[in-house]
Amino acid sequence: MRRRLALTAALTQSGNGDRQAFRLVYDMTAAKLFGVCLRICGERQAAEDVLQEVYLIIWKRASAYEPARGNPITWLCTIARNRALDSHRSSPPRGGNADGESDGAAAAAVSDDRPLADYLLLAEEEHGKLRHCLDDLDDRPRAAIHAAFTDGLTYADVAARSAVPLPTMKSLIRRALLRLRECMRDDG
């Protein structure tokens, strides 16, 4: 909880142009956001490039973050995910990294700051609530949510995989996300 509050405060101060606070946001989140970018981009160099863009976006949009609307790390991961997807869509596929190391091994080598025990407990509680809420969804929306937000597929990819029109898939995911939000509020 302290970590979340510290990140919220640093993000809010960053929105007011505080560079030291922004450095703290970076220090607290760089490893996690890099992992998000690497998973979607599939290549270390591309993920590093995207991560730099992500922090430029965060610096410009920090004042738009509303603490009452959700967890700061969720907001930051959404920015990273969206930017990585945009980059991945616009780039031709590339091979492994220059060291011959697999991208999975490169991702595993990235270490994150050790979270505090209370932060881990809070995160586990939130994950438990989310699992419960996901279990309440029907199979089709649950699979679409999983493909889009866990596997990092675009809505178009999810629609193609499910053999449905893109607008139908967007509506299905939007309705499922609304149900998840309601469920998370009800259970919290």
Side-chain angles (χ1 to χ4, degrees), residues 4 121-136 179-180 183-188:
R4 179 179 177 173
L121 289 172
L122 178 63
E124 181 57 35
E125 181 182 323
E126 287 180 5
H127 285 119
K129 285 194 288 188
L130 182 58
R131 280 191 300 271
H132 167 75
C133 292
L134 280 168
D135 288 344
D136 284 348
R179 286 186 56 204
L180 283 176
C183 179
M184 293 293 285
R185 284 184 184 155
D186 290 346
D187 285 357

Side-chain angles (χ1 to χ4, degrees), residues 32-41 50-51 54 57-58 73-89 144-158 173 177:
K32 179 159 187 77
L33 297 185
F34 178 72
V36 170
C37 294
L38 183 60
R39 181 172 184 176
I40 294 171
C41 293
V50 168
L51 186 65
V54 166
I57 292 167
I58 292 168
I73 197 67
T74 304
W75 187 76
L76 296 167
C77 285
T78 300
I79 292 171
R81 176 189 174 275
N82 291 343
R83 185 61 203 112
L85 283 171
D86 288 346
S87 175
H88 185 68
R89 278 187 228 130
I145 292 288
H146 187 277
F149 294 95
T150 303
D151 297 340
L153 298 179
T154 64
Y155 287 6
D157 292 338
V158 178
I173 291 174
L177 289 172

Side-chain angles (χ1 to χ4, degrees), residues 102-123:
S102 77
D103 292 322
V110 175
S111 63
D112 198 354
D113 295 337
R114 298 176 106 184
L116 299 172
D118 56 347
Y119 178 77
L120 290 173
L121 289 172
L122 178 63

